[in-house]
Amino acid sequence: MSHSSREIVSLWIDGFPPSDNRRKRWRTAAEKEFYELVASARKRFNIPSLSEPVNCRASLFAPDHRVRDGSNYLKCLCDSLQFSGILENDSLIVQTEVTLFSKKEISQWTDLPLVLSGGTFVQLFSAIPAYRKESLVSICSKLRKLK
């Protein structure tokens, strides 16, 4: 995530997104419930609808001691940002970063009740076009050297 990006939105969601491993063709009850939690958080934090490209940083706080794969939670989380109206379309998310905190880490490092019970902290940053161009040019330069 570029440190020069400006943060647009921060929100706490009182829930943990369902894993994409459990996803079927249609939305599950757990997904619908999470979508509603995000919509509720949007109202609580008075977040406007965004129509510009964003970078999304998600910090996931596990509610239990199960072993988890953080990347499996991104699809539902990104979809929920669109469903709630925070983003006009989740295709506006051009970069994602996910950090998964285990229940053990959480209990050792903090005593904040909000985090101890599990949940999701989302930050959306402006996706700066100049930074994206710089990134693409750098990648292409490295790929040319791999020939």
Side-chain angles (χ1 to χ4, degrees), residues 4-139:
S4 59
S5 308
R6 71 177 170 83
E7 186 172 333
I8 304 170
V9 169
S10 288
L11 87 145
W12 173 260
I13 302 161
D14 292 319
F16 200 82
S19 171
D20 206 34
N21 284 344
R22 298 180 183 211
R23 190 177 174 92
K24 305 293 184 229
R25 185 174 183 163
W26 308 106
R27 284 191 199 132
T28 65
E31 285 175 306
K32 290 177 185 175
E33 181 181 337
F34 187 74
Y35 289 3
E36 293 300 325
L37 286 172
V38 175
S40 174
R42 177 186 182 207
K43 289 177 188 167
R44 184 175 61 222
F45 295 106
N46 196 27
I47 296 171
S49 183
L50 302 174
S51 59
E52 64 183 275
V54 297
N55 298 332
C56 177
R57 178 182 296 151
S59 299
L60 306 173
F61 299 89
D64 54 40
H65 291 282
R66 289 187 8 224
V67 175
R68 298 171 186 271
D69 178 347
S71 64
N72 287 338
Y73 300 94
L74 281 175
K75 175 68 176 149
C76 182
L77 178 60
C78 293
D79 287 348
S80 71
L81 294 173
Q82 177 178 324
F83 174 84
S84 68
I86 292 173
L87 293 174
E88 285 184 6
N89 192 303
D90 64 351
S91 66
L92 291 168
I93 301 171
V94 296
Q95 183 178 359
T96 56
E97 177 184 316
V98 63
T99 303
L100 176 62
F101 294 97
S102 69
K103 187 70 171 177
K104 182 178 179 182
E105 290 172 324
I106 296 166
S107 61
Q108 287 175 347
W109 298 340
T110 186
D111 60 355
L112 185 64
L114 184 72
V115 174
L116 287 170
S117 60
T120 307
F121 183 63
V122 178
Q123 296 168 283
L124 299 178
F125 298 86
S126 175
I128 300 170
Y131 170 77
R132 292 178 49 75
K133 179 182 177 186
E134 178 185 313
S135 179
L136 178 61
V137 169
S138 173
I139 291 167

